[in-house]
Amino acid sequence: MSEHAGHDHSHAVVTEGNAKKLTFALALTTTFLIVEVIAGFLTQSLALLSDAAHMFTDAAALAVALIAIKIGKLPADDKRTFGYQRFEILAALFNALMLFLVAVYILYEAYVRFSQPPEIQSQGMLIVAVLGLIINLIAMKILMSGVEDSLNVKGAYLEVLSDALGSVGVIFGAVLIYLTQWVWVDTLVAVFIGMWVLPRTWLLLKQSI
């Protein structure tokens, strides 16, 4: 009996710890998301906007994961004999679907822009992309210790990881545009971000199902 109570207490501590990590990571991500969207429009960078769209799914994943933890702590009843913890699995599935929609949007927007690439402000694009990478690395560091405890935290971590790689792509694109004035590189980077999102989506979708 005492062994069972100890297990429950341990689970509660882990859950509360994950909630704190998710809250901090959500605050960071949401704040920078607003900055990145504004910068994306000002610089005319599709790669930056696609990274912002991906960061939006990061924020959504973190928010849903946080809600899942709160609901998962509610006690079981006659109709829900496993409590509400199945919501965490459904939240992971929701995150995967969100990622899929973002990937489709990025690829469509890239198709439109290939014919008429706009003028890109590469210096502003580079500054914002570097800041985005720093934010993603901080969020990853916060979430890393909770990956083994929760599928939903793992899903949020994978989204932040893929967004960090997207930021690296945007940085590379900004430097290349600055050196060569090849504005089509911006659209190409956006396509790569979209193609990167799809396999991560499949992995999370398979795990949640």
Side-chain angles (χ1 to χ4, degrees):
M1 183 72 177
S2 60
E3 216 175 287
H4 179 68
H7 174 75
D8 285 348
H9 176 69
S10 174
H11 177 74
V13 170
V14 167
T15 300
E16 193 59 38
N18 285 340
K20 288 179 181 177
K21 291 168 193 168
L22 288 166
T23 301
F24 190 47
L26 176 60
L28 275 177
T29 304
T30 304
T31 301
F32 189 76
L33 165 64
I34 297 168
V35 174
E36 196 168 32
V37 168
I38 294 170
F41 282 110
L42 291 176
T43 60
Q44 289 292 300
S45 170
L46 177 61
L48 207 54
L49 285 172
S50 66
D51 195 46
H54 193 189
M55 189 166 272
F56 172 77
T57 67
D58 293 344
L62 292 165
V64 171
L66 198 55
I67 294 168
I69 286 176
K70 299 296 183 184
I71 291 179
K73 289 195 295 185
L74 294 175
D77 56 34
D78 292 338
K79 292 183 179 179
R80 304 169 187 83
T81 54
F82 289 93
Y84 291 79
Q85 292 178 14
R86 281 201 184 106
F87 182 84
E88 190 170 354
I89 307 298
L90 294 175
L93 181 61
F94 172 78
N95 293 342
L97 294 175
M98 284 283 287
L99 275 170
F100 178 77
L101 291 175
V102 168
V104 170
Y105 166 76
I106 292 169
L107 295 176
Y108 170 76
E109 198 64 32
Y111 170 76
V112 172
R113 284 203 180 198
F114 263 126
S115 57
Q116 294 182 325
E119 193 67 31
I120 307 296
Q121 297 180 24
S122 57
Q123 288 181 334
M125 175 183 172
L126 177 60
I127 291 169
V128 175
V130 169
L131 290 174
L133 178 60
I134 292 170
I135 294 295
N136 284 321
L137 291 176
I138 293 171
M140 284 169 60
K141 179 69 175 175
I142 293 168
L143 296 173
M144 189 179 295
S145 59
V147 165
E148 298 301 322
D149 304 325
S150 165
L151 176 61
N152 219 35
V153 173
K154 184 176 182 179
Y157 175 84
L158 286 175
E159 289 192 40
V160 176
L161 170 62
S162 62
D163 195 36
L165 293 174
S167 294
V168 171
V170 177
I171 291 169
F172 175 77
V175 171
L176 196 57
I177 292 169
Y178 179 75
L179 295 175
T180 65
Q181 300 303 308
W182 295 343
V183 292
W184 53 266
V185 169
D186 177 70
T187 305
L188 191 62
V189 170
V191 170
F192 279 130
I193 291 174
M195 295 307 292
W196 169 252
V197 168
L198 287 174
R200 312 300 295 186
T201 302
W202 174 247
L203 178 65
L204 183 57
L205 191 64
K206 203 164 64 170
Q207 284 183 321
S208 59
I209 291 175

